[in-house]
Amino acid sequence: MFVLLTLLVVVSFIVSVVSIIVALSTGKPKTYWIAVGSLYVFSMLSGFSLGQLTIAFVLVLLLLAIGSTVKLMKNATQFTAWLGAGILFSVVMMSYVDDRWLFFPMSLIN
């Protein structure tokens, strides 16, 4: 069981890194959503020490995925605005929301 979870953590990390690189280079919404999902799985499975650090990146990528999906990231200024909003959103969520709620969707699987 431990080997399977370790393999899942490693695979989700590799998928998230590759999809982040592809998403930032192409700007396609699908790759942003793949990056959000795989990084969220990595964040949950890697434990709460590393998971708390990576959940901030998940929240930033989430807003970039939303901005890309609704087609509001057409130039560098709009991308920077969505990136800034994502950073602000992640700071607020990490400061005021308990980790239990940030990882709530994964706890439903248990």
Side-chain angles (χ1 to χ4, degrees):
M1 182 70 173
F2 180 72
V3 175
L4 182 64
L5 287 176
T6 304
L7 183 66
L8 186 58
V9 167
V10 171
V11 168
S12 65
F13 178 74
I14 291 170
V15 168
S16 65
V17 168
V18 169
S19 60
I20 288 169
I21 292 169
V22 171
L24 292 176
S25 63
T26 63
K28 293 185 178 182
K30 185 178 186 179
T31 55
Y32 279 111
W33 288 109
I34 293 170
V36 168
S38 61
L39 194 58
Y40 185 75
V41 169
F42 171 75
S43 176
M44 178 62 184
L45 293 177
S46 63
F48 285 102
S49 59
L50 185 62
Q52 290 175 342
L53 296 174
T54 57
I55 197 73
F57 294 115
V58 171
L59 296 173
V60 171
L61 283 172
L62 179 65
L63 278 183
L64 289 176
I66 292 169
S68 179
T69 301
V70 296
K71 306 216 184 312
L72 290 176
M73 289 193 331
K74 295 179 182 175
N75 55 31
T77 305
Q78 292 174 341
F79 176 81
T80 306
W82 279 96
L83 182 64
I87 292 170
L88 180 65
F89 179 66
S90 69
V91 167
V92 169
M93 292 295 283
M94 295 300 294
S95 298
Y96 297 110
V97 177
D98 187 34
D99 292 333
R100 179 174 182 259
W101 294 107
L102 291 175
F103 293 111
F104 182 71
M106 288 299 276
S107 68
L108 293 176
I109 295 173
N110 245 346

